[in-house]
Amino acid sequence: MEETISLRELMETLRKRMSLIILITLTAILVSGAVSFFLLTPIYQSSTQLLVNQAKSDQPAYNPGEIQTNLQLINTYNVIIKSPAILEKVSSDLNLDLNASQLNQKITVGSEAESQVINLSVTDTDPQKAANIANKTAEVFQTEITKIMNVDNVSILAKAEVGEKQSPIKPKPLLNIAIATVVGLMIGVGLAFLLEFLDNTIKTEQEVEKLLGLPVLGSIARIEDQKEDMKGNNRSGRPSRERGERVG
């Protein structure tokens, strides 16, 4: 026999367990907010841009062949920028207590499709330090690429700067709280239905009729209710008996 659950039963389950759902959701929000605001260290990002272009020559300003060559070189340049040959010099010039591998983890290099511009981004807990690393990396790469590949086709398009009130790229407390709210609701609703599924007690006459397929002929009141009724009758009847004894 297959059991079907109506929408009304689902809503009744949610209503009955609403306090549990709210408690779990609020707990998730508070934990997420506390972790985002007080425990996680803010991470800042600074970026600079490099332009890959051929050196000045007598050739026309727009040469499709040269542009295609530059585009092919960009992938190679992206690798060279993060190589130990560049990063070790950057660390040495800035007196950083970081080796090439550690510095590599802070740097992200990429370029737009069919673009001759290389975006170099650096993340750090100190926004000024991130900007210094980005600018120094760009400068060192511009200098060293002429020795490594014997070309002079890189120029710095834009330097990294620190804003007056620069916001961290992570954590994002509002986003974390929103995610925690959704997760808390999902956990709360899931737990509510799980508890309802594990609760196999019969509470109403309708459940008896549904499970057994038989009509309910009568019901027995709880003993506790009968005791309460008897106590109430005794309290209401005792004064009259006492008055009768005094009168007699």
Side-chain angles (χ1 to χ4, degrees), residues 73 76-77 80 144-152:
L73 283 175
T76 303
Y77 287 174
I80 295 176
E144 295 297 319
I145 196 64
T146 58
K147 304 174 184 177
I148 296 174
M149 298 189 65
N150 195 26
V151 292
D152 185 13

Side-chain angles (χ1 to χ4, degrees), residues 44 71 103 117 150 165 168 206:
Y44 298 88
L71 292 176
L103 196 55
V117 177
N150 195 26
K165 295 182 179 180
Q206 291 78 9

Side-chain angles (χ1 to χ4, degrees), residues 34 92-93 144 146 162 184 225:
S92 176
D93 290 350
E144 295 297 319
T146 58
V162 180
D225 296 339

Side-chain angles (χ1 to χ4, degrees), residues 28-59:
I29 292 174
L30 291 176
V31 171
S32 174
V35 171
S36 299
F37 283 106
F38 301 109
L39 296 182
L40 296 180
T41 303
I43 302 297
Y44 298 88
Q45 184 181 66
S46 291
S47 301
T48 183
Q49 291 181 325
L50 301 172
L51 176 64
V52 179
N53 196 10
Q54 292 290 348
K56 295 181 179 180
S57 64
D58 296 334
Q59 297 179 355

Side-chain angles (χ1 to χ4, degrees), residues 138-158:
E139 293 172 6
V140 171
F141 173 72
Q142 184 185 27
T143 302
E144 295 297 319
I145 196 64
T146 58
K147 304 174 184 177
I148 296 174
M149 298 189 65
N150 195 26
V151 292
D152 185 13
N153 62 344
V154 176
S155 58
I156 298 177
L157 190 62

